[in-house]
Structure formats: structure tokens, C-alpha cells
Amino acid sequence: MGMVRSTNEGNVTGFILLGFSDYPQLQKVLFVVILILYLLTILGNTTIILISRLEPKLHTPMYFFLSHLSFLDLCFTSSVIPQLLVNLWDPVKTITYVGCVVQLCVSLALGSTECVLLAVMSYDRYVAICRPLHYTLLMHPRLCMTLTSLSWLSGVATTLVQSTLTLQLPFCGHHQVDHFICEVPVLMKLACVDTTFNEAELFVASILFLIVPVSLILVSYGYIAQAVLKIRSATGRKKVLGTCSSHVMVVIIFYGTIMFMYLQSAKSTYKDQGKFVSLFYTVVTPMLNPLIYTLRNKEVKGALGKFLWKILLVNLT
């Protein structure tokens, strides 16, 4: 499978991402499926970003946040999936130490930012549905920019702390990562020292970036559900409930799978389950977000139709 040299007893020049090596017959199937999902992710999220920028009717707080979410998903998947595809196809599954560090920092920063941004988006939906008369007053451009900036800054801040603490751990020549991505929990398992402090720090970070946002999202959608039940029109009530339930479903998949990885002990034995669970928040939810949040909306469908029609006219002329 290839060897990675150790520079000394405590450091390595690279890692071997074992990934799905225990399932050789499954690797080619996963390659095809993940490649298709990745292409759909790029297409869907790029479309959302373009439509949100080009269509004046979509210059609203909701689509401002959604364009940031799409940009996050594009960058996040691109920091993980290309390396995963290479490892699924190539029998030599190595990644350099620098490559592992970059993947760790970028994916952690973007993932943490998305955790906060989804909570911000749920607050936006709460104000829009529960306090519609005050929506434009409350969700003014300066507040939207501030909330988005705080989401990005919080992601960068937690990455600086977690990645620094993780990369300071001595690996004592251990270089086989039993995963397909360089993540904090799996790198902690390689350490040859006590990781109690790192686990405690990771637990606190998980509370701040997983439990707190999920709680805020559930509270927001709880108020939204109460408001929806007061709608007299059965058709309108069914439409809003259908939209909200799909949002909650994606939230549960995204946060639930990350919690499975980050709230378990570094000594946990759920190795194979963790790999397959990680596919949900690295591959599946970034592909679902455009479909769930925007592409089913009439405004987006109309804007997309106009956009495609303009492209067709330009090509014809």
C-alpha cells in the first residue's frame, strides 16, 4: 500500500489514509457514486450562487445566507472529495503531512462555519414566518453581514485552537489513518500520549458548535411550527410544514452524523461505522442543501428559467 517515512520517533512526513481499504469490491462503486454526487454538488451550489447574485428579486437576507452556504459547501467538499476519489481509485493511499494539515484546517474551519451559519439561517426563517411585519427592519443588511462574518470568524477561531492542539501531539511514527479524511478525532487516535486534555477541548468545542446551534435551530423551528399551525389555509399550512420538515431533516442528518464522530471517545471502536457516517456530512448534505433550501422554491425556479433563457438567446444570436 506504500510506505511513509518517519523523520524521527515522533514525526512523520505523511500519512496513509486507509479509508475503505477493507472493502476493495466496494471502492469502485463508491468512486462512481461519490463522483456523481460531487458533480451534482458543484452544479447545484454554483447555480445557487449565480442566481442569487444575478436575480434582483433574490437580493434578500434568505438568499444572502444561502449563497454563503453554497460557497461553504463548494469549498468544503472540494477540500475532501478529490482526495477521497484519488484514494478510492489508487491503491497507493498516501497523503503528505502538509496535505493532511491543509485538509484538516480547511475542512474544520468550513465545517464549523456551516454549523453556525445554519443556526443563523434558522433565525432568519423564524423572523420571516413569525414576525413578517418586522422582517425588513430586523434583518437589515448590516445585521446579515455581521452574523455571516461572526460565522466565518468563529470557524477560523476554533480551527486555530483545535488544529494547533492536535498537531502538537506526538504520533511516534504512527502514520496509518483509519479514515478517508484527516480529522481531529482520527488523528487523536494516532497519538502515543494521553489525550484527555484534547478530548476535553474537543468536547467543549462540540458543545459550542454542535449542541448550541442544534438547540437554537430546534427552538426556532418550534416557534415556526406553532405559527404554521395557526394558518387557516390547509394548503398553505401543508406547504410550509413540508418545507420546514425537509429543512429539519437535513439539519438532523448534518449535525447528527458530525456528533457521532466528534462526541465519541478517541478510543471508540466504531471505526467502520464512522467512515460511512462521515460520508453523510462530507458528501450527501452538501449535495442536498441546494435541493432542499432553494431549487424547490418558485422564485428560484423562475430566476433559473430566466437565466437559462438568456443563455439560450445569446447562443442563438
Side-chain angles (χ1 to χ4, degrees):
M1 190 179 294
M3 295 300 294
V4 180
R5 291 193 324 273
S6 298
T7 57
N8 56 49
E9 187 180 353
N11 301 302
V12 292
T13 59
F15 296 97
I16 296 174
L17 295 174
L18 296 178
F20 300 94
S21 301
D22 292 338
Y23 307 92
Q25 293 157 356
L26 184 62
Q27 288 189 103
K28 295 299 184 274
V29 176
L30 283 174
F31 177 89
V32 174
V33 173
I34 291 172
L35 177 60
I36 293 173
L37 293 178
Y38 181 46
L39 295 176
L40 290 175
T41 299
I42 294 175
L43 177 63
N45 286 291
T46 303
T47 300
I48 296 306
I49 294 172
L50 290 175
I51 295 298
S52 298
R53 290 288 183 269
L54 298 176
E55 178 55 55
K57 291 182 180 180
L58 300 183
H59 292 173
T60 62
M62 174 182 173
Y63 291 99
F64 173 76
F65 293 132
L66 284 170
S67 62
H68 276 268
L69 178 65
S70 292
F71 180 71
L72 274 170
D73 284 336
L74 277 176
C75 296
F76 178 71
T77 52
S78 296
S79 71
V80 175
I81 295 182
Q83 180 68 48
L84 170 58
L85 292 174
V86 170
N87 287 354
L88 287 172
W89 191 263
D90 194 339
V92 180
K93 305 178 184 301
T94 57
I95 182 172
T96 64
Y97 180 81
V98 173
C100 186
V101 171
V102 171
Q103 187 181 71
L104 170 69
C105 295
V106 173
S107 62
L108 182 58
L110 295 173
S112 301
T113 301
E114 183 163 340
C115 288
V116 179
L117 184 62
L118 287 174
V120 170
M121 291 170 59
S122 71
Y123 173 72
D124 172 69
R125 291 299 82 208
Y126 159 74
V127 176
I129 295 174
C130 298
R131 304 186 66 182
L133 299 178
H134 301 88
Y135 182 67
T136 54
L137 180 63
L138 292 173
M139 301 303 296
H140 52 83
R142 183 179 296 179
L143 177 63
C144 294
M145 184 63 70
T146 300
L147 292 173
T148 305
S149 299
L150 287 174
S151 300
W152 282 95
L153 289 173
S154 62
V156 172
T158 189
T159 300
L160 291 175
V161 175
Q162 290 194 57
S163 60
T164 300
L165 291 175
T166 303
L167 296 172
Q168 284 181 343
L169 292 171
F171 299 127
C172 300
H174 300 157
H175 57 262
Q176 291 194 345
V177 180
D178 198 7
H179 210 292
F180 61 83
I181 178 178
C182 291
E183 281 192 305
V184 173
V186 293
L187 290 178
M188 283 169 54
K189 292 179 181 179
L190 298 182
C192 52
V193 295
D194 182 43
T195 58
T196 302
F197 177 79
N198 296 73
E199 290 185 51
E201 186 279 329
L202 181 61
F203 181 78
V204 172
S206 299
I207 296 295
L208 294 176
F209 286 88
L210 295 175
I211 304 300
V212 172
V214 165
S215 300
L216 293 175
I217 290 170
L218 293 178
V219 169
S220 297
Y221 278 103
Y223 281 112
I224 290 172
Q226 289 182 352
V228 168
L229 292 175
K230 296 178 182 178
I231 298 177
R232 294 182 179 181
S233 169
T235 304
R237 186 166 59 245
K238 183 179 179 180
K239 178 182 177 182
V240 178
L241 280 176
T243 302
C244 290
S245 62
S246 61
H247 290 187
V248 172
M249 179 189 70
V250 173
V251 165
I252 290 174
I253 294 174
F254 179 73
Y255 286 99
T257 51
I258 296 179
M259 286 179 187
F260 180 88
M261 279 299 298
Y262 279 79
L263 290 179
Q264 61 177 309
S265 168
K267 300 179 179 60
S268 173
T269 57
Y270 295 104
K271 296 185 297 182
D272 291 341
Q273 295 92 324
K275 296 175 191 177
F276 288 100
V277 165
S278 296
L279 288 176
F280 282 93
Y281 63 83
T282 56
V283 180
V284 178
T285 52
M287 184 273 298
L288 288 177
N289 281 337
L291 298 174
I292 296 298
Y293 285 104
T294 51
L295 292 179
R296 301 192 313 167
N297 295 354
K298 288 183 179 180
E299 298 95 333
V300 175
K301 288 181 180 178
L304 182 59
K306 288 171 57 178
F307 179 68
L308 294 176
W309 179 248
K310 288 180 181 178
I311 293 176
L312 180 62
L313 288 177
V314 169
N315 290 331
L316 290 176
T317 54

